[in-house]
Amino acid sequence: MGKYFHKLVLLAILSVFILSCGEKKDTPKNIRIVTKNTEKFPVSLLDNVRLAINTKFQDWVLFENGTYIIFDDVSKIENIEKMAIRLMKEFGPVAAGGPAGDFNVTSLNLTKGWIVSGHGYGMYTYVNPKELESNYPSDMTIGIYGRTKRNADGLNPVIIHVNTAEN
């Protein structure tokens, strides 16, 4: 395995440890994971997420690091953006030893990559194969990387797309 893989795993473990220590502080504004380089991701994050979501789900919100939340029924939600940010702040950040660290990895059929799910109903994180160093990453590698992206979205939730049945 390459030296970058080991650094990524060490960074993920250290991030979980650091985030679980001490008092809760203001949300950091400098966490960025997803590369904006269009050569690295010829199909956009939004396009990949659209292909990852079952078409029966029309109401969802996408955050800048690839985490998205699917809503079953928005008729009782006054503001989908505010609800998505509230849920992201509640279920996105990773806490060592808690359910936020658990994950499942699902391979996608209609696009390349995986979806990482965990605690938080309807919350998923898209991982593009080009984000990982290995051509054949393990579920553990994919899951830890996806949880790192979800943690970043949880600490600094920035919505990049809202999809509703109307649009």
Side-chain angles (χ1 to χ4, degrees):
M1 294 194 189
K3 63 183 177 179
Y4 294 109
F5 169 76
H6 295 297
K7 288 179 183 179
L8 177 63
V9 170
L10 180 60
L11 178 63
I13 292 169
L14 286 173
S15 296
V16 169
F17 177 75
I18 290 169
L19 290 171
S20 66
C21 296
E23 298 176 28
K24 190 170 183 177
K25 296 188 172 46
D26 290 336
T27 302
K29 301 296 181 195
N30 61 347
I31 296 176
R32 297 288 182 262
I33 292 178
V34 174
T35 302
K36 303 296 183 194
N37 181 347
T38 57
E39 291 176 14
K40 187 172 181 182
F41 300 103
V43 176
S44 76
L45 172 62
L46 178 58
D47 291 335
N48 280 311
V49 169
R50 276 192 175 120
L51 291 170
I53 297 174
N54 185 321
T55 55
K56 74 178 183 177
F57 298 109
Q58 295 295 310
D59 301 304
W60 47 273
V61 175
L62 174 62
F63 292 84
E64 76 175 332
N65 291 298
T67 304
Y68 59 93
I69 301 172
I70 296 173
F71 294 91
D72 289 334
D73 182 11
V74 294
S75 66
K76 298 174 185 166
I77 299 173
E78 188 174 316
N79 184 311
I80 192 172
E81 293 92 346
K82 285 183 182 178
M83 177 61 80
I85 288 175
R86 184 182 69 75
L87 291 170
M88 183 56 67
K89 285 182 178 180
E90 181 178 350
F91 295 108
V94 176
D102 296 338
F103 58 81
N104 294 308
V105 175
T106 303
S107 295
L108 298 171
N109 294 324
L110 299 178
T111 190
K112 293 181 180 178
W114 306 270
I115 294 303
V116 178
S117 60
H119 94 303
Y121 178 76
M123 188 179 290
Y124 307 92
T125 304
Y126 172 75
V127 176
N128 189 303
K130 293 182 180 182
E131 293 178 277
L132 304 174
E133 186 174 298
S134 172
N135 289 333
Y136 304 100
S138 68
D139 282 357
M140 180 66 74
T141 301
I142 298 163
I144 289 173
Y145 187 75
R147 288 300 300 133
T148 303
K149 291 174 59 165
R150 181 173 170 168
N151 185 62
D153 281 328
L155 295 175
N156 185 30
V158 177
I159 295 172
I160 62 171
H161 181 76
V162 176
N163 200 82
T164 61
E166 291 85 42
N167 64 358

